[in-house]
Amino acid sequence: MRYLPLTDTDREDMLARIGVPDVDALFSDVPKGKLLKEPLDLPRAKGELEVERILGRMSARNTAAGAVPFFVGAGAYKHHVPATVDHLIQRSEFLTSYTPYQPEIAQGTLQYLFEFQTQVAALTGMEVANASMYDGSTGTAEAVLMAHRVTKRRKAVLSGGLHPHYTQVVETLSEMANDEVVALKPDVRATEDILAAIDDSVSCVVVQSPDVFGNLRDLKPIAEKAHAHGALLIAVFTEVVSLGAVVPPGAQDADIVVGEGQSIGNALNFGGPYVGLFAAKSKYVRQMPGRLCGETVDADGRRGFVLTLSTREQHIRRDKATSNICTNSGLCVLAFTIHMTLLGQAGLTRLAEVNHANAVKLADALAGVKGVEVLNESFFNEFTLKLAKPAAEVVEALAAKGILAGVPASRLLPGAGLDDLLIVANTEVNTDEDRAAFVAALAEVL
C-alpha cells in the first residue's frame, strides 16, 4: 500500500498559506527551457536484481580514473591516499559520529577538529582556521560575504583566473543578497590588470593561485593595493598540495584564505563530498563563518576541547549569525587530518616536489608535439595547452585510446572563445609510461 501523507485538501491549505496557486509556481525561478514537460522515460518499477544489472551496464561505460593514464584536474585531483586513511575513518566511532553539539561527550571529535584547524593554519600561513566548510566553492562565497561584513561594503572583484564554478557560486549568493560582483574576463596567461579594478568602493579582491589555468600569482602587490583602499584580499586555491611548495598566502599578506582540501586524504569519489578550508587573520575571527574548536582544561586541570566560537544560526539568534553553514565536513576533515599527519611537513614538501617535477616533465614533452603550445610561464602541477584542434574533440579521441587527457577550457567556460585550450594536471600517480603514452597519443590525434 502506498504511503500518501498529504491529502488534496492538505496541499491546497499549504499552497494557500504560502501564497502560490499551485505546485508549479514553486519552480518559477527555474528557466522554462530547463523544466521537463513530462516525466523521465524510466520504467515505473523494477526488481532489485534487474536494477543492479541495468546500473552495472551503465557504469561499465565509464572509464575509471585509476584504470588508465589520468591527467584530469581543474579543481579535483587524483592523488594517492594511503590505505591507513580509509581504514581509520571507517571505524564505527568515526563513521557514525555526528556534529559535536555536546562538547563534554564529543572530546575525540573536537580534538581532531582542533588538530585539523592547526594544520590548515600552518599550511596557509594564517593565524586562525575554522573547523571546515562544505567545499572550496561555497567557502569562497562565504569569504566574500565575510569581507562585506568586515568592510561594510558590498562589492567584490573576482580575478579572471578564479575557477569558473567558484565564480558562479559567488555570483549566485551575491545576487540573492543584492551584492555587486565584478568578474574579470578569463585570464589564460595571468596578465590581467586586477589592480586597476580596486578602488574605495571595493570590499574584497578574490584571486586564485595556482589559478584555474595553472598560473602562479604574486599576491603581494594585490594585497598592498587592496589594503590601501580599505579592501581585503581573499586568496583561493583548488590544489592544496601546492602549499607544500609555494609561498603560503598568509606570507603574502592575504586577509582570508579559502580553498579545497580534497587532494589530501579524499579520493575523487565521483565529485564529492569534499572539504572546504577556511583561514583568516585573527582580528577577523568573529566574522568567520562556521565554528572554531579550542583547547582548554577542565575543573581538575585536565586537557580538554571546546567549541570556542560558533557563529552559526544553529547556536545563536539568526540575525546575529555569520552564516547558515550547518555542519562541517566531519569525515572528510578526519581523512584530511590523518593523511596530513602521515605526511608531516617533510612528506608534504616531498609530495609537492614530485608533483611539480612530474608536471614539468610532461609539459616539456608535450611542448615538442606539433600543434601544441604550453601557455604557462610558471605552474605547480597543472598547466594549459593551446592545441591545433578543438580541445573537446581531442579529449574524446584520446579517451577512445585509453588516455584521460585533461579538461577542455570550453567545458568550464562555454562560449568564451577558448575552444582550443586544454587544462592538464600531472600528480604523483602518473608514471613515465603514462606520460609517454599521452604524448604519443596526442601526436597521433593532432
Side-chain angles (χ1 to χ4, degrees), residues 42-343:
L42 293 173
R44 294 294 297 171
K46 287 282 187 182
E48 181 177 348
L49 181 58
E50 293 174 298
V51 171
E52 288 179 354
R53 287 170 176 163
I54 293 170
L55 294 180
R57 288 195 295 269
M58 292 175 63
S59 65
R61 295 164 56 191
N62 291 321
T63 300
V68 297
F70 185 84
F71 301 93
V72 179
Y77 303 91
K78 180 172 174 55
H79 289 280
H80 172 68
V81 178
T84 307
V85 175
D86 286 340
H87 175 75
L88 289 176
I89 67 173
Q90 289 182 57
R91 290 178 61 95
S92 61
E93 61 266 42
F94 294 135
L95 194 61
T96 64
S97 65
Y98 192 55
T99 191
Y101 285 123
Q102 294 176 277
E104 64 276 9
I105 61 171
Q107 286 296 294
T109 298
L110 288 171
Q111 180 172 356
Y112 76 68
L113 291 177
F114 179 81
E115 300 294 348
F116 167 79
Q117 292 172 179
T118 304
Q119 291 171 340
V120 173
L123 279 170
T124 58
M126 300 301 287
E127 295 168 333
V128 61
N130 73 9
S132 92
M133 310 295 284
Y134 287 129
D135 57 25
S137 63
T138 53
T140 300
E142 290 284 352
V144 170
L145 297 179
M146 174 179 165
H148 292 342
R149 294 191 296 271
V150 171
T151 64
K152 304 298 189 295
R153 301 175 185 174
R154 316 297 300 182
K155 177 180 177 181
V157 175
L158 312 185
S159 165
L162 182 63
H163 195 296
H165 294 170
Y166 286 42
T167 297
Q168 291 166 10
V169 173
V170 172
E171 290 175 334
T172 298
L173 264 68
S174 298
E175 181 180 358
M176 295 299 104
N178 294 317
D179 295 333
E180 183 179 356
V181 175
V182 178
L184 303 184
K185 293 180 180 180
D187 185 24
V188 178
R189 296 180 184 267
T191 58
E192 65 186 356
D193 186 6
I194 197 168
L195 299 182
I198 304 173
D199 58 30
D200 291 341
S201 68
V202 172
S203 159
C204 58
V205 186
V206 183
V207 184
Q208 179 178 325
S209 181
D211 67 21
V212 69
F213 300 106
N215 303 294
L216 294 170
R217 302 289 190 108
D218 183 1
L219 302 179
K220 291 181 180 179
I222 304 172
E224 183 178 353
K225 179 72 179 291
H227 296 159
H229 288 274
L232 304 185
L233 170 61
I234 299 174
V236 178
F237 56 86
T238 59
E239 172 54 292
V240 64
V241 175
S242 67
L243 297 179
V246 303
V247 176
Q252 300 186 64
D253 208 16
D255 299 286
I256 305 171
V257 180
V258 63
E260 178 55 62
Q262 170 267 323
S263 289
I264 296 179
N266 291 273
L268 290 173
N269 289 330
F270 302 97
Y274 289 160
V275 51
L277 312 184
F278 198 111
K281 293 179 177 178
S282 59
K283 62 182 176 181
Y284 303 131
V285 66
R286 290 195 171 275
Q287 293 301 329
M288 289 180 69
R291 60 191 175 190
L292 286 83
C293 298
E295 182 181 8
T296 186
V297 293
D298 65 13
D300 296 322
R302 295 175 299 186
R303 185 189 191 204
F305 298 91
V306 294
L307 282 176
T308 301
L309 187 64
S310 197
T311 54
R312 311 183 317 156
E313 51 87 14
Q314 290 176 305
H315 290 269
I316 62 176
R317 296 192 306 275
R318 291 192 174 191
D319 60 327
K320 298 294 185 182
T322 62
S323 169
N324 67 351
I325 290 289
C326 294
T327 188
N328 61 292
S329 300
L331 202 62
C332 299
V333 162
L334 179 59
F336 179 100
T337 302
I338 294 170
H339 194 178
M340 271 303 308
T341 302
L342 292 170
L343 284 171

Side-chain angles (χ1 to χ4, degrees), residues 71 362 366 385 398 403 405 422 424 434-443:
F71 301 93
L362 181 61
L366 291 172
L385 303 178
L398 290 175
I403 306 288
L422 178 64
V424 176
D434 293 336
R435 286 184 283 275
F438 184 8
V439 173
L442 183 58

